[in-house]
Amino acid sequence: MPDFLTLLVAEPVITLAYVVFGLVGFGSTLVSAPLLAHLLPVSTVVPTLALTDLVASWSNGWRLSEHVVRRELWRLVPALMAGSVLGAWLLFTLPVKLLMPLLGAFVVLYALNGLRPKQAVRTPLAPRWAWWYGGVGGVFSALFGAGGWVYSLYLLRRLDEVQQIRATQTAVLMFSSAIRVGLF
């Protein structure tokens, strides 16, 4: 049983994280993992958040399932699986003292990327890029629990309709969460 301080901090952090998830469709771990990692080892935080991501993404996924672009989903999933295996192996083999600064660097770089000016012109990606985005997203998903933004970058350049992007993103996160829970 976690101590009182851990519960006192974890509950509002996880609540805030899933408010973000509800608004954006991903990002719960980007919000919660850096804060929870001060109380618990990263190798405990990431698998635990994988379980909560699984519940959140599945509940969202069923609601949006009719809008999923399945061909994009099936392009991403094989690479996502391979990347997740590599990410899980790294999570459990790298020392905890190395994982903390890696998580910190990842979050800072992600935040800096968000501050970058956005391109007005959106050039479509070729389908072969699914392997790159799926693999990198899988590694980040298993290692830090934060690969949703990578899948989002891919889908934003492959699909035009907002509802299809959101639904397909949710479906990818459903698979990602299930794969991570299975690996962990």
Side-chain angles (χ1 to χ4, degrees):
M1 178 82 175
D3 63 31
F4 183 71
L5 177 64
T6 302
L7 291 174
L8 191 65
V9 172
E11 287 184 33
V13 165
I14 290 174
T15 301
L16 173 65
Y18 283 95
V19 167
V20 170
F21 182 88
L23 293 171
V24 182
F26 65 92
S28 58
T29 305
L30 282 171
V31 172
S32 59
L35 298 171
L36 294 175
H38 290 287
L39 301 170
L40 300 164
V42 175
S43 57
T44 300
V45 169
V46 172
T48 303
L49 291 173
L51 282 171
T52 56
D53 281 350
L54 181 64
V55 172
S57 62
W58 278 83
S59 64
N60 251 358
W62 291 118
R63 191 172 43 87
L64 301 170
S65 63
E66 67 189 51
H67 300 287
V68 172
V69 179
R70 283 166 177 72
R71 71 180 181 281
E72 294 300 339
L73 177 65
W74 301 132
R75 282 185 184 124
L76 284 168
V77 168
L80 182 155
M81 289 174 78
S84 294
V85 169
L86 175 60
W89 178 78
L90 290 169
L91 178 66
F92 293 119
T93 58
L94 292 175
V96 173
K97 291 197 183 273
L98 179 61
L99 284 173
M100 282 292 288
L102 281 176
L103 174 62
F106 175 78
V107 170
V108 167
L109 290 172
Y110 176 76
L112 290 174
N113 182 52
L115 295 174
R116 199 172 45 119
K118 303 294 179 222
Q119 294 178 344
V121 178
R122 197 175 62 113
T123 56
L125 279 176
R128 70 177 177 271
W129 281 97
W131 281 94
W132 167 256
Y133 285 91
V136 170
V139 169
F140 287 156
S141 288
L143 187 55
F144 301 124
W149 64 278
V150 179
Y151 312 130
S152 181
L153 290 174
Y154 172 80
L155 293 170
L156 284 169
R157 293 188 54 197
R158 290 287 303 153
L159 303 173
D160 294 321
E161 189 180 316
V162 174
Q163 189 71 340
Q164 288 180 337
I165 294 168
R166 182 177 169 101
T168 307
Q169 169 83 15
T170 301
V172 170
L173 292 176
M174 286 170 42
F175 277 93
S176 174
S177 298
I179 290 165
R180 286 183 288 143
V181 167
L183 286 170
F184 297 150

